[in-house]
Amino acid sequence: MPREYSEKVALVTGGAQGIGRAIAALLGARGYRVAIADVKGPPGGARDMLFVRCDVSSEPAVRAGIREVVKRFGRLDALINNAGIASPGNGSIDKLRLTEWNRRIGVNLTGAFLMTKHAAPHLRRVRGAIVNIASTRALQSEPDTEAYAAAKGGLVALTHALALSLGPQVRVNCISPGWIAHRDEMRPVRKRDHEQHPVGRVGRVEDVAELVAFLLSDAAGFATGQNYVLDGGMTKKMIYV
């Protein structure tokens, strides 16, 4: 594949594992110069990428991380807000501690705000793009998932608000993945897990990465403020038990 993006720089938060790692790898393969921001160590195979240790819920850490990326590469073309506390369960609402609620909101929602706040001046200069990674839990829920659902729902709303505030210089879109299997999962995916999806399988991290790459590209130049549900059709499936 031609390295048509060899001058462009992408910053992926939460890029040390799972979906973030797949996004970083694909963008690197497409020719982007990639930076990963994460609280965990750099992922294996990321020798050609800049790693920035960063808690996205901390404004000083975010400010320093963005500064380091721009100092290294001289520009910033794409921001992928993927970092988050992935486990949706928070226990019974009447026992949910405020500290736990605030931590999930801080990482999953405020982190995207802070990254965008400090990346925006650099993105404007190059007519860049932002992709936020939300979840289908912004649209539907299981019991005892209030903090995660609220954060992801807020991220969808933040997306269209930012699209209006940053346009036309910067496009902002959102992806809401459904069930995405990856190597970090604790339990294997079963045959019936695949079969319940209208497409016949659960999602792969590469599915999300491909959509991110498209939304960053000039081919998506008319797309902004949108939430793209990527769930194998599950949110369109009528289920009665």
Side-chain angles (χ1 to χ4, degrees):
M1 179 172 292
R3 296 175 65 83
E4 66 268 41
Y5 302 114
S6 59
E7 295 302 315
K8 292 192 174 184
V9 176
L11 172 58
V12 183
T13 69
Q17 63 181 345
I19 290 173
R21 179 166 55 191
I23 293 170
L26 180 64
L27 294 181
R30 296 283 169 88
Y32 282 86
R33 292 175 288 172
V34 178
I36 291 173
D38 207 306
V39 294
K40 298 186 177 181
R47 288 189 296 260
D48 296 331
M49 301 178 189
L50 172 66
F51 176 76
V52 178
R53 194 173 299 278
C54 179
D55 177 354
V56 297
S57 67
S58 165
E59 187 160 19
V62 168
R63 184 187 296 110
I66 295 288
R67 186 182 299 122
E68 184 174 348
V69 172
V70 175
K71 181 179 179 181
R72 169 73 173 271
F73 296 116
R75 61 188 290 165
L76 180 61
D77 299 85
L79 171 63
I80 299 87
N81 285 312
N82 168 76
I85 298 173
S87 57
N90 53 230
S92 174
I93 185 65
D94 55 322
K95 295 181 180 179
L96 176 58
R97 295 181 179 177
L98 181 58
T99 53
E100 177 68 12
W101 168 274
N102 286 340
R103 179 60 178 160
R104 288 172 182 266
I105 297 296
V107 175
N108 292 25
L109 178 56
T110 306
F113 153 68
L114 290 173
M115 292 298 300
T116 302
K117 173 183 176 180
H118 291 280
H122 308 287
L123 294 170
R124 284 194 187 100
R125 293 189 190 105
V126 295
R127 300 187 72 87
I130 298 171
V131 178
N132 297 320
I133 306 299
S135 169
T136 51
R137 291 177 183 272
L139 308 172
Q140 55 185 174
S141 289
E142 293 177 303
D144 303 328
T145 60
E146 287 78 13
Y148 188 91
K152 294 301 187 178
L155 191 53
V156 172
L158 179 64
T159 296
H160 58 72
L162 289 172
L164 272 292
S165 298
L166 298 179
Q169 291 89 359
V170 181
R171 294 184 301 105
V172 187
N173 287 291
C174 185
I175 299 173
S176 286
W179 189 336
I180 306 296
H182 53 84
R183 70 184 72 175
D184 303 305
E185 283 191 331
M186 297 300 293
R187 73 171 181 84
V189 180
R190 303 161 298 182
K191 180 180 179 182
R192 65 180 180 179
D193 297 328
H194 289 294
E195 290 176 344
Q196 69 175 312
H197 288 74
V199 298
R201 65 171 175 85
V202 302
R204 308 182 184 108
V205 291
E206 293 80 9
D207 295 322
V208 183
E210 288 284 358
L211 185 50
V212 169
F214 168 73
L215 290 173
L216 295 178
S217 73
D218 291 341
F222 196 53
T224 195
Q226 303 304 309
N227 177 39
Y228 294 86
V229 176
L230 189 67
D231 69 345
M234 284 299 292
T235 51
K236 300 301 182 184
K237 182 178 179 181
M238 192 174 289
I239 302 172
Y240 294 106
V241 177

